[in-house]
Amino acid sequence: VQLVESGGGWMQPGGSLRLSCTASGFAFSRTLMTWARQAPGKGLEWAAHISSDGTSRTYADSVKGRFNISRDNDKKTVSLQMNSLKDEDTAVYYCAVGCGLYAGTFKCNYRGQGTQVTVSS
């Protein structure tokens, strides 16, 4: 499994960024894809996931209405459009598969190297 994220960077509050992830090494079109994030000093947090066919999208309350997850099964990519960014969105963002709650802790079996998103004025 290989997951490579891109698109992070610095943005002022209220701005937008778009993250992309290119996947390989597994049956992408049959796999639920997740975006997760880890803020400084905190654990991994689920942000959003999208079903294998792209028809179902679910978001954490903290990003609902601001973030949009999408995928292209032909290109084996999954994206996260982040709008109305807030300071608290600052984190390393990971594209991941095989995620879930394990003994109350959110974990993912596979994730990329991550891309840093910094929101500040």
Side-chain angles (χ1 to χ4, degrees):
V1 174
Q2 282 198 319
L3 301 162
V4 180
E5 303 96 339
S6 62
W10 172 84
M11 180 54 63
Q12 291 182 331
S16 298
L17 283 173
R18 184 176 180 86
L19 307 182
S20 294
C21 171
T22 300
S24 61
F26 63 100
F28 181 82
S29 64
R30 298 200 298 269
T31 303
L32 181 144
M33 295 300 297
T34 297
W35 280 100
R37 65 186 185 180
Q38 188 164 20
K42 296 188 176 181
L44 191 65
E45 176 192 25
W46 167 70
H49 64 236
I50 185 168
S51 61
S52 58
D53 63 1
T55 59
S56 177
R57 309 173 189 195
T58 310
Y59 301 91
D61 287 344
S62 57
V63 308
K64 195 176 296 181
R66 301 187 298 119
F67 289 11
N68 183 54
I69 189 171
S70 60
R71 67 189 295 160
D72 185 329
N73 282 349
D74 290 334
K75 296 180 179 178
K76 296 186 179 180
T77 59
V78 59
S79 298
L80 187 69
Q81 177 67 40
M82 306 186 296
N83 301 320
S84 302
L85 284 163
K86 304 177 180 180
D87 290 351
E88 51 264 42
D89 293 320
T90 294
V92 178
Y93 284 72
Y94 298 95
C95 173
V97 298
C99 300
L101 279 177
Y102 301 91
T105 300
F106 177 74
K107 296 181 180 179
C108 300
N109 290 332
Y110 299 98
R111 49 176 162 151
Q113 84 287 350
T115 185
Q116 177 71 47
V117 171
T118 301
V119 184
S120 73
S121 53

